[in-house]
Amino acid sequence: MENTIAKRRWIRLIPIAFITYSLAYLDRANFGFATAGGMGKDLHITAAASSLLGSLFFLGYFFFQIPGALYAANQSARKLIFWSLILWGGLATATGLISNVNALVVIRFMLGVVESAVMPAMLIFLSRWFTKTERSKANTFLILGNPVTILWMSVLSGYLIRSAGWRWMFILEGLPAIIWAFFWWRLVNDQPADAKWLTAGEKEALAGQLLLEQADIKPVKNYAAAFRSKTVILLCLQYACWSIGVYGFVMWLPSIINAAPNSNIVHTGWLSAVPYLLAIISMLATSYFSDKILRRKIFVWPFLLVGAIAFYGSYLVGPNHFWISFILLIIAGGAMYAPYGPFFAIITEILPGNVAGGAIALINSFGALGSFAGAYLVGYLNGKTGSFNASYIFMAGSLLLAAVLTLVAVRNKKV
């Protein structure tokens, strides 16, 4: 059963999940390249307004996270993601057509609203198809859509902006999501019971294994009880601090590199891709060993600590030693991304299925607040101080706090 089901599930579902989340991340992260590639000048966007626009996405993401996740958990993740693909592709494409800042404000906020449920919905979807011994790896292949997309998007966006301008970059990178929506609808089922490509015996065996795992988890009455849990509250704070570092890095790395001597947008694209190559390697290795020994927290907090040290090292090195600072940023990027698979596996392994979806959404919504803070405050500090030093200290402190909160949150949990 393990050989047959595992092979068919991985081949059938993981590429689909990966492509879907990749497209979501493409339309989220290319804003940083447009900012570095002339959008600010064309639309007369000030440094403060640019920081706000870069972070507005996460406000929309925060407010609609939980309703979307509850719909995915109780109704249909398949239907929710289908419409989300169409809407976020349309909004991303529309970004290339606007002519004033007011329209850009609306589009960035609405893009966050539309994409808000994608991450928790996909995690809920995967938890219905993969067992405890597979979950960290399955989550990692999903979230790999983040660094893999930024890796190739960084190079592609640099060339698109140079050859066609930032408007065509948005248009050409937004259309694939709309097209992919119809592939998604055709290829996936919400539950294993609905899949025609599994036999009755395979469906029964998988359902039995997932049910057995739920029996080992302490019951939680309802969402209110789960949301009041000390562990969930601490994980919310942890993920918010972690996301400050991640999205301060993602949104402003192109500008940091573009400010280097003799840099241009194509060079920026190539160099911006390098940290995400390390991120891919570290995520795959971390998820493999986490699933192999079924330990989670030891694959989370040490990497966050390394990320904090690397950011602080970039501050100490200073702007006059660009290449040393850049190597430290590569290390920070790889370390920040490494723990995603084990982290989201923790949630589904300490909370029962009736509340896990809502808890994932709540934690992810606090991550959105952290992302808002990271994207906005890093940009604000860059503009206010005229350098990136204050940003490095801010991101280092946030990751250090995230590492400490991880240890506190799950210290009495066998994860």
Side-chain angles (χ1 to χ4, degrees):
M1 186 274 290
E2 279 296 325
N3 290 336
T4 304
I5 294 183
K7 183 178 180 181
R8 296 173 75 180
R9 284 175 300 154
W10 288 101
I11 293 173
R12 175 87 183 203
L13 298 175
I14 291 300
I16 297 170
F18 173 82
I19 292 170
T20 303
Y21 192 62
S22 295
L23 291 173
Y25 219 84
L26 170 64
D27 292 333
R28 179 187 314 183
N30 56 11
F31 182 83
F33 274 90
T35 300
M39 182 175 67
K41 181 180 178 182
D42 291 348
L43 298 181
H44 308 292
I45 302 173
T46 64
S50 181
S51 297
L52 179 61
L53 285 165
S55 55
L56 262 178
F57 169 91
F58 300 107
L59 278 185
Y61 200 83
F62 170 75
F63 285 117
F64 290 87
Q65 184 92 181
I66 294 177
L70 295 183
Y71 181 88
N74 299 318
Q75 300 294 326
S76 172
R78 176 176 176 248
K79 185 181 294 184
L80 179 67
I81 293 172
F82 170 76
W83 287 110
S84 295
L85 278 160
I86 292 175
L87 291 172
W88 91 56
L91 288 166
T93 301
T95 308
L97 305 175
I98 52 97
S99 58
N100 61 75
V101 177
N102 292 334
L104 188 57
V105 166
V106 174
I107 286 175
R108 289 298 296 174
F109 180 79
M110 289 304 301
L111 191 63
V113 171
V114 170
E115 286 193 26
S116 61
V118 174
M119 176 70 158
M122 293 299 291
L123 290 169
I124 291 167
F125 174 77
L126 292 178
S127 71
R128 294 170 176 167
W129 285 90
F130 295 93
T131 65
K132 182 177 180 178
T133 59
E134 307 165 319
R135 204 159 289 146
S136 177
K137 192 186 299 182
N139 291 345
T140 293
F141 276 113
L142 168 69
I143 302 168
L144 268 176
N146 174 326
V148 169
T149 299
I150 298 180
L151 192 153
W152 62 261
M153 181 271 293
S154 297
V155 177
L156 176 63
S157 295
Y159 280 108
L160 283 175
I161 290 173
R162 187 178 72 172
S163 60
W166 61 268
R167 291 184 181 277
W168 276 105
M169 179 202 72
F170 279 121
I171 293 169
L172 294 175
E173 292 181 353
L175 290 174
I178 300 172
I179 298 169
W180 180 250
F182 297 94
F183 286 91
W184 164 268
W185 184 258
R186 176 80 174 173
L187 294 172
V188 302
N189 303 102
D190 273 308
Q191 304 278 358
D194 301 325
K196 296 179 180 179
W197 47 274
L198 290 177
T199 67
E202 289 170 339
K203 294 175 186 178
E204 184 178 346
L206 178 56
Q209 179 61 34
L210 293 172
L211 190 61
L212 184 64
E213 292 172 3
Q214 288 293 304
D216 295 330
I217 301 175
K218 183 180 178 181
V220 177
K221 183 179 180 181
N222 52 34
Y223 288 117
F227 292 173
R228 290 195 302 267
S229 161
K230 180 182 177 181
T231 300
V232 171
I233 292 170
L234 288 172
L235 288 176
C236 286
L237 296 175
Q238 185 266 15
Y239 198 49
C241 292
W242 181 2
S243 297
I244 286 174
V246 171
Y247 284 94
F249 181 84
V250 169
M251 294 299 296
W252 294 102
L253 181 65
S255 295
I256 291 171
I257 295 174
N258 204 47
N262 303 316
S263 184
N264 60 54
I265 195 64
V266 174
H267 293 156
T268 295
W270 278 101
L271 290 178
S272 295
V274 178
Y276 301 104
L277 181 60
L278 179 60
I280 293 165
I281 296 169
S282 64
M283 287 177 74
L284 288 172
T286 301
S287 66
Y288 172 80
F289 287 108
S290 176
D291 276 346
K292 194 171 184 63
I293 67 173
L294 289 180
R295 298 286 300 278
R296 308 303 186 193
K297 63 185 175 185
I298 63 170
F299 292 100
V300 178
W301 71 266
F303 285 100
L304 299 178
L305 181 60
V306 169
I309 294 170
F311 274 129
Y312 189 66
S314 290
Y315 158 72
L316 293 178
V317 168
N320 294 327
H321 300 87
F322 172 78
W323 288 108
I324 298 175
S325 179
F326 180 61
I327 290 170
L328 288 168
L329 289 178
I330 294 172
I331 295 170
M336 285 190 297
Y337 275 95
Y340 273 114
F343 176 76
F344 282 107
I346 288 174
I347 302 167
T348 56
E349 291 169 14
I350 63 174
L351 291 171
N354 66 309
V355 296
I360 288 171
L362 182 68
I363 292 166
N364 210 40
S365 68
F366 272 80
L369 281 185
S371 303
F372 174 85
Y376 179 73
L377 291 176
V378 168
Y380 174 80
L381 290 170
N382 293 343
K384 192 73 174 177
T385 63
S387 76
F388 302 106
N389 286 344
S391 303
Y392 293 151
I393 295 175
F394 176 56
M395 290 187 283
S398 299
L399 290 177
L400 177 61
L401 184 55
V404 173
L405 285 169
T406 304
L407 287 171
V408 175
V410 297
R411 67 170 179 258
N412 296 322
K413 306 292 183 182
K414 293 181 179 180
V415 291

